[in-house]
Amino acid sequence: MTQVVMTADEERLAHEVGRRRTFAIISHPDAGKTTLTEKILLYVGAIEQAGSVRARRNQRQAVSDWMSIEQERGISITSSAIQFEYQGRLCNLLDTPGHEDFSEDTYRTLMAVDSAIMVLDSAKGIEAQTRKLFEVCRRQNLPILTFINKLDHPGRDPLELLDEIERVLEIEPAPMNWPIGSGPDFQGVYDLERQQVMRFERTAHGRHRAPVTIAGIEDPVMAQMLGERAHGQLCEEAELLAAAGATFDVDSFRAGDLTPVYFGSALNNFGVERFLDALVALAPSPQPRQSNHGPISPTQAEFSGFVFKIQANMDPKHRDRMAFMRICSGRFEKDMSVLHPRLGRSVRMSRPHRLFAADRETVEEAYPGDVIGLSNPGLFNIGDTVCTGKAILFPPIPPFQPELFGVLRNLKLDKYKQFNKGVEQLQEEGVVQIFYDIDSFRREPIVAAVGQLQFDVVVARLAAEYNVETTVQPSEYTVARWVVGSEKAIEEATWSSQSRRVRDREGRLVALFTSVWQLNYYVERNPDLKFLEIGELALASTI
């Protein structure tokens, strides 16, 4: 049998790919996603002390929330890319928006990772947004680790939570540790694999690593520290789990059929370090990516990557635009030239950055799994592929179907240029979709979104970043369809005053309707036209 000998460059690429872990954190709002993100950064030494999401005036703001509206409301509404090293692994943590109105941004981020952490509130279990994002992970075949949070608050029985995971999400839960007490009596966790009791001590506001005492379950010192009642209950539950609990299997986990479950309290740092150890040990390294030429292996020599996010004004002093790119194969080098298939030309990858929330540093090289920021002078759109060698395309990232509509009004007419610039950049980021009326002389943008909070962000960012005062006037329209057909069929179509013809950023014809009934009426009256949702339009364009 012929032995394949790797070159030094091939060995280095394989080594760098093997040590990378790229993952996102998903949850329902207020389950503790941002808090867990900060505590992971605390334990890897990326920050010296963790801030509170709902910060007191003398506390720090959450590191991953860099936008002022995020800090004011205590929520994440943008994705942050944060890289850190831990136990010889280079981890790329993509923090995602927790609010359901920004599930589209979360969806884009999940396209760029190889695994995910699902955070559940121990009192509420699986909530609507959690279930929705879990289904996105399932469609992407992402392995999921589960962290059941807030054990320091009164919550549901752990066995009940495991049953809900299996019943609602149809995935087998394998408990990896077990809580000792709950609410104010929560003392720590029992590591089922190592058969060790980990008793934690609280620190002031959870800012620092929690001191922990580790011992066997039969150790008399531990029995004394836990108390007779808590120790007795733990022994009974450990015996029950040993007999009936699901056994962890790494192949089932990687296939998405099983999720390892960890209990803890991110706020008090209980169980965070052992969970982090498991994350870097179990999460897969970068995986092959499907393209129009088949799967692209991360260890192939030719470079490839795709843009999953664009963000403007992360540095308010420079009015910049940053394109977030996930590297899929090969080795990235600063100033390298790559093919941009959508533009059909070569572009130079200048000024690449590694990001830590709003902070950045220049990147000289990067490898598959890494996320880099590229200064974007209008070159990149969300979903763009870049590569070397033969032209390839990764699957597009279509926007979500809008559900809310409104007219964006500029209240400062002397800020006309700033208003237009801000609208253009927010549209490029995908914060909202923008339409312009075909039949009206007034060129006021019609903003379309999935949720109301997106409108609030548009108004807040135009004020903070462009000094433009605006308001969104709610619209009567509730349904949008992209109109496809011959020029003749479009010209001969009849429209009433109850519908509205607009064009999107790409100049495509879109019809707005006040109800599904009205849409169906127009579908019947215009059999030669197709009325497509945005996802159907994106699919049709790739066939």
Side-chain angles (χ1 to χ4, degrees):
M1 186 174 180
T2 304
Q3 185 177 2
V4 178
V5 179
M6 300 175 67
T7 67
D9 287 343
E10 290 172 336
E11 286 185 353
R12 184 181 182 191
L13 177 58
H15 170 73
E16 293 296 341
V17 169
R19 78 186 192 100
R20 271 159 172 78
R21 304 289 185 268
T22 303
F23 56 91
I25 305 181
I26 62 172
S27 76
H28 192 86
D30 205 34
K33 175 189 61 63
T34 301
T35 304
L36 179 61
T37 300
E38 291 243 318
K39 298 316 173 71
I40 287 175
L41 297 178
L42 174 68
Y43 273 86
V44 302
I47 57 176
E48 293 181 0
Q49 60 174 307
S52 171
V53 178
R54 287 175 173 77
R56 296 178 176 87
R57 289 188 179 181
N58 62 341
Q59 287 183 327
R60 303 170 63 254
Q61 300 287 355
V63 168
S64 57
D65 292 339
W66 58 271
M67 195 182 295
S68 60
I69 189 172
E70 294 178 300
Q71 296 169 358
E72 291 167 6
R73 300 196 184 196
I75 56 174
S76 296
I77 59 178
T78 61
S79 299
S80 300
I82 300 170
Q83 188 178 78
F84 59 86
E85 191 158 359
Y86 184 71
Q87 294 185 351
R89 303 287 193 267
L90 198 63
C91 300
N92 296 285
L93 188 164
L94 275 60
D95 185 29
T96 61
H99 199 282
E100 61 185 359
D101 286 4
F102 294 90
S103 54
E104 184 175 351
D105 202 14
T106 300
Y107 173 79
R108 295 176 195 139
T109 301
L110 291 175
M111 298 282 285
V113 300
D114 301 296
S115 60
I117 298 169
M118 178 171 65
V119 182
L120 302 179
D121 186 318
S122 66
K124 299 175 182 177
I126 297 167
E127 299 175 84
Q129 182 70 352
T130 312
R131 185 171 182 174
K132 187 182 300 182
L133 295 174
F134 174 84
E135 291 302 327
V136 174
C137 292
R138 171 164 280 169
R139 290 197 297 272
Q140 296 294 114
N141 296 316
L142 296 178
I144 295 176
L145 296 94
T146 299
F147 186 82
I148 298 182
N149 193 26
K150 300 188 179 182
L151 266 295
D152 55 325
H153 290 71
R156 292 159 59 183
D157 181 86
L159 287 173
E160 181 185 338
L161 290 166
L162 294 180
D163 177 70
E164 183 179 41
I165 291 173
E166 185 168 21
R167 177 172 42 83
V168 176
L169 301 182
E170 298 181 347
I171 188 172
E172 184 177 14
M176 306 298 280
N177 65 14
W178 201 250
I180 304 170
S182 64
D185 299 324
F186 180 52
Q187 301 186 60
V189 295
Y190 176 57
D191 188 317
L192 294 167
E193 181 182 11
R194 304 183 189 185
Q195 297 185 337
Q196 293 178 331
V197 177
M198 306 182 69
R199 184 179 185 274
F200 298 95
E201 297 176 25
R202 286 174 166 81
T203 63
H205 305 302
R207 290 184 181 181
H208 305 281
R209 298 164 67 106
V212 57
T213 303
I214 302 175
I217 195 170
E218 302 296 341
D219 191 315
V221 173
M222 187 58 71
Q224 184 178 3
M225 293 180 70
L226 294 177
E228 183 177 343
R229 180 180 176 184
H231 183 258
Q233 182 178 349
L234 175 61
C235 290
E236 289 179 10
E237 292 174 340
E239 186 176 347
L240 174 65
L241 289 167
T247 303
F248 176 75
D249 178 76
V250 69
D251 291 332
S252 297
F253 162 66
R254 295 282 176 87
D257 298 325
L258 176 147
T259 177
V261 179
Y262 296 82
F263 294 87
S265 166
L267 186 64
N268 290 307
N269 306 329
F270 287 14
V272 173
E273 185 172 19
R274 189 58 58 86
F275 176 73
L276 180 58
D277 292 344
L279 172 65
V280 298
L282 299 177
S285 57
Q287 299 296 293
R289 293 266 160 175
Q290 285 297 330
S291 76
N292 62 334
H293 289 292
I296 303 298
S297 170
T299 56
Q300 77 168 33
E302 297 293 356
F303 169 81
S304 67
F306 68 92
V307 174
F308 66 93
K309 175 181 174 60
I310 292 175
Q311 183 71 55
N313 303 328
M314 293 185 72
D315 183 353
K317 297 178 181 178
H318 294 97
R319 288 282 181 266
D320 62 345
R321 283 179 288 178
M322 189 71 70
F324 287 71
M325 177 176 291
R326 152 75 192 232
I327 298 174
C328 298
S329 68
R331 175 172 175 261
F332 173 86
E333 296 179 81
K334 181 176 179 287
D335 292 326
M336 70 186 298
S337 291
V338 299
L339 175 65
H340 192 318
R342 181 177 62 83
L343 298 181
R345 66 181 180 90
S346 177
V347 298
R348 188 163 169 257
M349 307 286 269
S350 59
R351 291 186 292 172
H353 294 94
R354 182 173 293 114
L355 298 109
F356 187 91
D359 298 329
R360 63 187 71 177
E361 63 180 16
T362 301
V363 173
E364 297 296 331
E365 65 174 10
Y367 290 89
D370 289 346
V371 172
I372 58 174
L374 298 166
S375 295
N376 178 29
L379 283 177
F380 300 113
N381 290 339
I382 291 171
D384 277 351
T385 298
V386 296
C387 57
T388 58
K390 70 177 180 181
I392 64 169
L393 291 172
F394 291 113
I397 307 178
F400 278 24
Q401 181 68 19
E403 300 175 8
L404 297 177
F405 303 85
V407 177
L408 180 63
R409 299 198 185 281
N410 178 13
L411 302 182
K412 287 188 174 182
L413 297 181
D414 60 325
K415 300 287 185 178
Y416 178 78
K417 289 185 178 180
Q418 294 91 325
F419 173 76
N420 285 342
K421 183 67 172 178
V423 170
E424 177 188 342
Q425 292 206 347
L426 293 176
Q427 179 178 221
E428 185 180 63
E429 290 180 33
V431 175
V432 288
Q433 295 180 53
I434 303 291
F435 303 126
Y436 288 98
D437 199 319
I438 294 175
D439 304 313
S440 174
F441 290 107
R442 296 185 66 178
R443 189 172 167 80
E444 289 182 313
I446 299 170
V447 288
V450 176
Q452 176 62 41
L453 188 56
Q454 289 174 265
F455 292 160
D456 297 344
V457 168
V458 168
V459 172
R461 289 189 59 187
L462 286 173
E465 299 169 22
Y466 298 93
N467 193 28
V468 177
E469 186 179 348
T470 59
T471 184
V472 176
Q473 179 181 330
S475 168
E476 61 181 332
Y477 300 104
T478 61
V479 180
R481 290 294 186 271
W482 276 253
V483 183
V484 177
S486 66
E487 289 186 14
K488 181 180 179 182
I490 292 175
E491 287 177 3
E492 294 178 352
T494 56
W495 308 92
S496 75
S497 58
Q498 293 179 309
S499 64
R500 193 167 186 177
R501 297 189 309 154
V502 297
R503 293 202 181 275
D504 68 3
R505 184 186 182 195
E506 307 297 330
R508 297 171 299 199
L509 178 62
V510 184
L512 304 183
F513 304 100
T514 57
S515 67
V516 174
W517 180 90
Q518 189 188 53
L519 164 65
N520 292 334
Y521 174 75
Y522 274 91
V523 170
E524 291 178 5
R525 289 188 61 185
N526 298 279
D528 295 330
L529 295 178
K530 292 181 179 179
F531 293 81
L532 304 178
E533 292 190 359
I534 186 65
E536 296 172 319
L537 183 72
L539 181 62
S541 66
T542 60
I543 296 176

